[in-house]
Structure formats: structure tokens, C-alpha cells
Amino acid sequence: MSDTATGLGEGAGWGEFVTTEVRDGIAWITLNRPDKRNAINPGIVREMTAVLDAMEGDDAAEVLVITGAGDAFSAGQDLKEYFRETENWPPHERDRMFAANAAWQWRRLMYYRKPTIAMVNGWCFGGAFQVLVGCDLAIAAEDATFGLSEINWGIIPAGIVTKSVSMVMPQRDAMYYIMTGETFSGTQAAEMRLVNKAVPLDQLRDEVTRLAETLRKKNPHVLRACKTAYHHVRQMGWEQSLEYLMAKSDATKFRDPERGDEKGMSQFIDQKKFKPGLGAYDRES
Ligand code: COA
């Protein structure tokens, strides 16, 4: 399927393994190898890179949702096409492809200019956890199945999977599933905060749409600064965090094209039009 709002799609470098649809401000990005449970092959790496490049500059795409076709979110890296069949590639080409995979799956997503939501509709294994954690937020179907299956086939959760889960899962849960390779459900994933929420599958798209709508109402410039600040501050001490956050706050205000803080303050204090505690200021007025 091509991108309905922009006309991008196959001609722009995707469409075989990844499909996109931009509608009402939401870019629905679907890993599309359902017969292979959306296992991530070099084709998905290539196409997701192109999609993320294009969506970043597409004003019609305000919030990105990443999901999978059929009954899988993604069965992780493709053991055959991503690992085995690349073993004989020239080393620099294999390294480049692995680096491109790391880029789209977490580094790029984590600092992406727009909010991102993982919509976990089904199977989610191994390398798919990088995408899951790379997205800002995640909503799963209650009966989706998650697994850190690496131990089951004799490797450690590499790429950056172990780091990813250590950032969001409690230690006992992370260690348990890394070491046993047992599966767990979307409901359990929500309980251990790997995802924000789990809902019945038939409500998943509506739930994600509601969340995306909430994000669309916020000032996108400030939203971008919020997520960047969060990721940097997690790696800093208290003193550096204070310095960084105050400077980041000033820079964000200074560069905000819609002068959100002035609008918000005026709508609350002078016009008494809204309550910041209960929702966003009116961006249109
Ligand atoms: N890599 C390569 N191929 C994969 C794959 C993966 N990660 N996951 C699924 N496939 C392929 C299967 O080999 C099969 O291909 P075939 O039709 O040519 O035989 C096809 O996708 C369907 O898989 P199948 O196992 O028949 O589907 P299922 O619905 O019965 O089971 C899973 C789904 C996800 C439980 C199972 O496919 C699985 O365990 N996949 C591997 C998950 C994993 O360990 N991922 C970690 C990678 S780091």
C-alpha cells in the first residue's frame, strides 16, 4: 500500500516488506512479511530506513505507529536471511547492514523527531524487543506472545536486546525471561511495564488511535525536546541533569516556533480558557 497522504511508497524505497498509510496525522507503518511472522530480514532493514527518513520530513505524519501484518508483530531477526545468509557477505557489507539495523531499531527511533508507538498485535521475539523499546510508547494485545527466545537457540540476547530490556523491565522479570526463554502474554508485559497497556486485540487499533490523538494535540517541538531530554538525563548524574534540563528548557522555549509557553500561560492566567492540569492548551488560537 502506498502512503495515501504523500504519494510516497514503493517509488520511495519501500512497499515490498514494509507498508505505510498516513491518515489523519497518524503514520501506520506495518512490517509486512506475515508468512515469515514479520521476521526482520535485510529487506526490512532497508525499507524501514527509507520509511523513517521519509516520515521525518512529512508534515502529514505527526505520530508514527509501528505494527506487524497478520498474527505477528515480529518474530525478531530472520535467522535465515539476516544471520545465516549474510555470513558470506563481504565483512564491511555485513557490518554496514547490522549498523543500519541498529540505527532504525533503536538509536533512530529513540531520538526520532516525532512520537512513536509500538502496536504489538501478536508474536514479539528477540530483535523485535529493540523496536518495542526503541518506540516511545507501546500498547499490546492482551494475548500477544512475547519471548526472549535467544537462550532457546543458543545465543545471548545480543544486538542491543539485553540493554533494551534492562531499561524498561524490572530486573527479576528481565533475568527470568532472558534465562528461561519462556513466553509471556501482553497482559503480563503490561504488568511488568514492558508495554504501557494491554487491551483485547479487537480494541487495539482504537486504543492506539486514542493515544496518538492525545499526542497530536501537544506542541510537537516541546514533545521532541521532552523525549530527547528523558533519554539523556537517564545517563547523567543529578547535577548535570539540572544544568542540562535548564539549558534544554531555555533552548526549547527560544526555538519553539509556536511560542507554546506564552500561549499556555496566557490561556490559563489571563484568558482562563483551560486548565493545564487537565489537558493541552489550544494550539490553534
Ligand atoms: N527467522 C526466520 N524465519 C522465521 C522466523 C525467524 N525469526 N520466525 C518465523 N520464521 C518463519 C518460519 O521458518 C516459517 O517459514 P516456512 O513457512 O518457510 O517454514 C514461517 O516463518 C512461519 O513460522 P512458523 O514457525 O511455522 O509459525 P508459527 O506461527 O507456528 O510460530 C513463532 C511462530 C514466532 C513462535 C515461530 O515461528 C518461532 O519460534 N520463530 C522464531 C522466533 C525467535 O526465536 N526469534 C528470535 C530471533 S532473534
Side-chain angles (χ1 to χ4, degrees):
M1 190 186 303
S2 289
D3 182 314
T4 50
T6 61
L8 297 174
E10 284 173 35
W14 69 88
E16 186 179 354
F17 302 116
V18 178
T19 61
T20 59
E21 181 191 15
V22 179
R23 196 175 295 279
D24 300 327
I26 306 174
W28 299 90
I29 298 167
T30 305
L31 307 179
N32 191 35
R33 300 180 73 213
D35 54 330
K36 300 291 181 191
R37 306 301 179 263
N38 306 319
I40 295 157
N41 65 352
I44 287 189
V45 175
R46 194 175 55 247
E47 295 200 6
M48 276 306 302
T49 302
V51 166
L52 292 180
D53 281 349
M55 294 296 165
E56 206 150 46
D58 182 349
D59 290 342
E62 296 170 30
V63 177
L64 266 61
V65 176
I66 300 182
T67 191
D71 62 3
F73 175 67
S74 168
Q77 302 312 120
D78 189 309
L79 272 56
K80 183 165 170 275
E81 293 188 28
Y82 184 88
F83 289 120
R84 184 191 280 170
E85 289 179 1
T86 61
E87 270 168 16
N88 295 324
W89 282 18
H92 70 284
E93 283 186 22
R94 193 176 200 237
D95 286 352
R96 194 185 302 149
M97 197 270 293
F98 281 7
N101 186 62
W104 90 261
Q105 286 193 337
W106 64 273
R107 197 181 291 108
R108 189 86 192 277
L109 279 178
M110 204 171 274
Y111 296 104
Y112 202 68
R113 291 175 59 76
K114 300 178 178 185
T116 54
I117 305 171
M119 181 168 95
V120 185
N121 50 307
W123 303 115
C124 178
F125 286 96
F129 277 66
Q130 296 180 160
V131 183
L132 176 66
V133 176
C135 287
D136 302 323
L137 302 167
I139 309 285
E142 285 171 352
D143 54 5
T145 302
F146 294 75
L148 292 162
S149 54
E150 286 86 344
I151 189 71
N152 294 338
W153 61 283
I155 66 164
I156 69 167
I160 202 145
V161 173
T162 297
K163 176 70 177 172
S164 297
V165 298
S166 77
M167 295 304 275
V168 294
M169 282 168 81
Q171 179 173 330
R172 292 291 177 210
D173 292 316
M175 290 290 273
Y176 185 89
Y177 290 106
I178 286 172
M179 295 177 75
T180 64
E182 285 177 17
T183 59
F184 54 95
S185 68
T187 305
Q188 289 172 290
E191 283 164 8
M192 65 182 85
R193 313 308 299 142
L194 174 61
V195 301
N196 295 93
K197 196 170 184 178
V199 297
L201 181 61
D202 62 1
Q203 294 169 27
L204 185 59
R205 191 170 164 117
D206 285 349
E207 186 66 33
V208 169
T209 303
R210 261 194 299 279
L211 177 57
E213 287 304 328
T214 300
L215 296 170
R216 285 185 65 213
K217 293 198 183 85
K218 311 296 180 195
N219 178 325
H221 175 78
V222 180
L223 210 45
R224 185 151 55 243
C226 285
K227 58 186 269 189
T228 305
Y230 176 80
H231 288 303
H232 285 304
V233 158
R234 287 194 93 189
Q235 299 165 48
M236 291 180 194
W238 286 76
E239 298 298 340
Q240 296 103 316
S241 295
L242 178 64
E243 287 298 315
Y244 167 83
L245 287 170
M246 294 308 289
K248 184 79 178 168
S249 178
D250 286 348
T252 305
K253 279 189 207 172
F254 181 70
R255 299 189 61 183
D256 180 3
E258 86 181 36
R259 306 300 308 172
D261 64 318
E262 287 170 17
K263 271 191 191 171
M265 215 179 278
S266 165
Q267 287 179 19
F268 178 52
I269 296 173
D270 307 323
Q271 303 166 45
K272 298 201 178 300
K273 268 179 67 170
F274 91 121
K275 296 182 189 296
L278 303 178
Y281 68 85
D282 178 4
R283 296 184 55 215
E284 303 307 322
S285 73

